[in-house]
Amino acid sequence: MENFVYYNPVKLHFGKDAIRKLGQAAQSLGKKALLLYGKGSIKSNGIYDQVTDQFRQANITWVEYAGIRPNPAIEDVVAAARLGREENVDFIIAVGGGSVIDSAKFISIAIPYDGSAWNLVKGTARPESNIPLIAVLTLAATGTEMNKFAVVQNNATSEKLGFGNDLIYPRYSFLDPQYTLSVPKNYTSYGIVDLIAHCLEAYFGKGEATLSDKFVYSIIREAMEFGPALLNDLGNYELRAKIMYAATNALNNLLFYGRESGDWGVHTIGHVFSVLYDVPHGASLSIAYPAWLKLMKDRIPERIEELGKHLFNTSSANDTIAEMESLFGVLGSPVRLNDIGITVHQKNKIIQTMIENKVGGAHHKLSEHDYEELIDLCLQ
Ligand code: NZQ
Ligand code: ZN
């Protein structure tokens, strides 16, 4: 087992009507907020009213930046940071899924930074301070509500990049499973795929951490047991709650303690599909993971077999991969590029972008030859 620091500073309120604690939390951070949200789901499902009621009761004023899109773009981060700076806000409140919360994380370090926000994303400049952030999660998937990661894309350069820094942990997160009742079936499915993929990125990382492996099996089993049930019963609070809590734990550091690193190679492949064709994040992963596992079958057969033994009661790498692919199918997520209308004609462009984005994992490196094989497997 590797040495590690066990740290997570997020105060997370989970459960029905958790939002009632928002006003008090906000008061501890200041008097004026930048309220960030997406394309408007929070207006139609009533979450916007509940958040702003809390602000009124707590005498918090706010300015708004709306319209953050799935696969969020750096332009919105820049524009919202400008607004936050001009309005001299004390803190940010992000109400939405991973795209809104990740954008808010970048905005929180871009407000006090003088240069271009893209420098922070690329790592050519380091953030030195931040504006505190509150997250109100409306979609169970990414784990961003309890981690120090954020992902944003630059459409001008076809890059979708992840970033990690202790400064961007939310100070508070509010997780009310009722807020996820309105998430449509497709995004519910992509969210379940994403949480499974986070478990796999941990599992295929570097270093032996047997207890963390057991947490991995447990979280994937939770998703296998309750994910398909939820997709048949989208209005079921208990199932929403189970999946929401599973998604948070799949990427809040828990699965990584004792390892040298996760892998994240499959996420880098998925990000290429997203930046080129606006593929939803979870859908990009259900396509990339089976292909990656097939590529890795002869390189790490025992590790794949071990996973299958614990999850599916199988005894070979081939059977494990077939079961994993079938699980993504049962969850209603695509498993081939052709399923989402991407064909062999786009192969060269995809590979070129993989090269430019230096696609590969922290543990399992990928060569340009691997890229070709992977994309063939995603197309077959
Ligand atoms: O724009 P709005 O109206 O908010 O609609 C959103 C959006 O269309 C909708 N939605 C969200 N909550 C809803 C709802 N619709 C109805 N009712 C609700 N309660 O769902 C759509 C997708 O939202 P999005 O935020 O894009 O989804 P998700 O949470 O899956 O976030 C994906 C982003 O997170 C990044 C991904 O790369 C992607 O950019 N990730 C972030 C990570 C992190 N920070 O740790 C790790 C992940 O691996 C991932 O890379
Ligand atoms: Zn993910």
Side-chain angles (χ1 to χ4, degrees), residues 86-135:
E86 283 166 6
E87 293 284 340
N88 212 7
V89 298
D90 298 316
F91 64 96
I92 304 175
I93 177 158
V95 187
S99 296
V100 174
I101 297 172
D102 283 9
S103 300
K105 287 176 166 181
F106 283 118
I107 296 161
S108 75
I109 49 172
I111 287 179
Y113 174 66
D114 275 342
S116 149
W118 188 243
N119 294 341
L120 298 170
V121 182
K122 289 281 274 189
T124 54
R126 283 194 68 72
E128 274 163 17
S129 60
N130 68 308
I131 300 277
L133 167 65
I134 299 178

Side-chain angles (χ1 to χ4, degrees), residues 39-41 97-99 102 138 144 147 149 160 179 182 198 267 281:
K39 298 267 190 201
S41 62
S99 296
D102 283 9
T138 66
T144 188
N147 72 37
F149 305 115
K160 179 166 181 171
Y179 284 10
S182 57
H198 296 159
H267 269 67
H281 177 61

